[in-house]
Amino acid sequence: MNAATDASPAGVGAAAQPKVSSALVGLLIAAAVLAIGWVVPLRDYITPRSGVGYWFGIIGGSLMLALLIYPARKRIQSLAVIGSPLMWFRFHMVLGVAGPLFILYHCTYRTGATNSNVALWSMIIVAGSGIVGRYLYSRIHNGLYGSKATADDLRRQANNLKIDGSGAGRLLPGFAPKLDAAEGRISMDIPLIPKASSSYTMWWIGRVQMRLFIKRTLKQAAANSLAISEHRATLLAAAVRYSDARLGAARRVAEFHSCERLFSLWHILHLPMFGMLFVAGIVHVIAVNIY
């Protein structure tokens, strides 16, 4: 029993399971609504020119226009009366998903006249850009709504994991060197391959290799120890969680600077794309009401 307890890396095995985030729930709901609109023949029930379909367009366009509130709130201090930047950032995330969904239902997932096609594809490009921006933002901040991280913070967190789990390999011969080697591969530079891509690839490979190693080593240890055999499942879960945490921390450190640069570039490109959408939307509304 004591052997099993000692093998648990700094209480990793006793750690609570992560809760489902509200962002994930929202993403699943949006994916379900998107799938329903794709499967159901919307054109048999609504039309873009009148009724519910027309109002879907009005609502969707209004939500897309409301996306401008967040950047305005960040830059104009006198708008503090309408809420904090964090609050509007959260709304910005929701609006960036809800607006395109209303627009897709408005057009019933079909293309139309040239002006409507330009507006539709502009929206799709901006929405896709927003998804990329959200990912990059989360990689250089402490969560979706957290403060901006620094490379030193990430390195400190990675080093703390090593210290806290220093006894993780007591019952797994070769565990620590194997994990150190996997971390090293995540951090190394691969010629002609962007750091973010190479670190992700080596992180994924490292996870698979470590899981196979842990399972194989525990199976061998369980054959020679009754205590290990009895607690094999618990030890396996604890070792895998610790390994994943170490490799995940190494990946965050490796890709931080790359994602930071990409996010700066994304910021430069995202606003002109939204401007293109704004102009295309106005042209579409004018064309629809005139012709």
Side-chain angles (χ1 to χ4, degrees), residues 4 21 23 31 64 83 123 143 162 189 202-203 207 229 235 243 247 275:
S21 67
M64 297 297 288
M123 181 208 70
K162 293 182 181 181
D189 290 316
M202 299 314 297
W203 165 77
R207 287 184 68 200
S229 178
L235 292 170
S243 173
L247 296 178

Side-chain angles (χ1 to χ4, degrees), residues 4-169:
T5 304
D6 290 342
S8 179
V12 175
Q17 293 295 325
K19 297 180 180 179
V20 177
S21 67
S22 58
L24 178 59
V25 173
L27 181 63
L28 293 175
I29 293 175
V33 173
L34 186 67
I36 290 172
W38 180 264
V39 173
V40 175
L42 294 176
R43 65 183 68 90
D44 294 342
Y45 304 100
I46 59 178
T47 174
R49 291 186 171 275
S50 61
V52 175
Y54 176 80
W55 282 105
F56 277 164
I58 296 295
I59 295 172
S62 300
L63 294 180
M64 297 297 288
L65 189 61
L67 288 170
L68 291 171
I69 297 177
Y70 168 63
R73 173 61 188 89
K74 278 201 309 181
R75 291 167 174 81
I76 305 174
Q77 293 300 320
S78 60
L79 293 179
V81 293
I82 66 174
S84 67
L86 178 59
M87 181 193 78
W88 281 106
F89 177 66
R90 290 172 175 168
F91 275 124
H92 191 79
M93 296 291 102
V94 175
L95 295 174
V97 174
L101 286 176
F102 273 105
I103 297 296
L104 286 174
Y105 272 66
H106 161 68
C107 70
T108 65
Y109 287 69
R110 291 188 300 176
T111 56
T114 301
N115 67 83
S116 61
N117 290 343
V118 172
L120 175 62
W121 284 106
S122 297
M123 181 208 70
I124 292 174
I125 291 172
V126 170
S129 169
I131 293 173
V132 173
R134 181 201 180 281
Y135 171 78
L136 294 174
Y137 182 95
S138 68
R139 302 315 300 175
I140 61 176
H141 288 74
N142 297 310
L144 183 56
Y145 306 123
S147 59
K148 193 175 186 300
T150 66
D152 289 339
D153 290 336
L154 295 176
R155 290 192 187 96
R156 192 177 303 114
Q157 293 168 12
N159 289 332
N160 288 340
L161 276 174
K162 293 182 181 181
I163 296 171
D164 293 341
S166 57

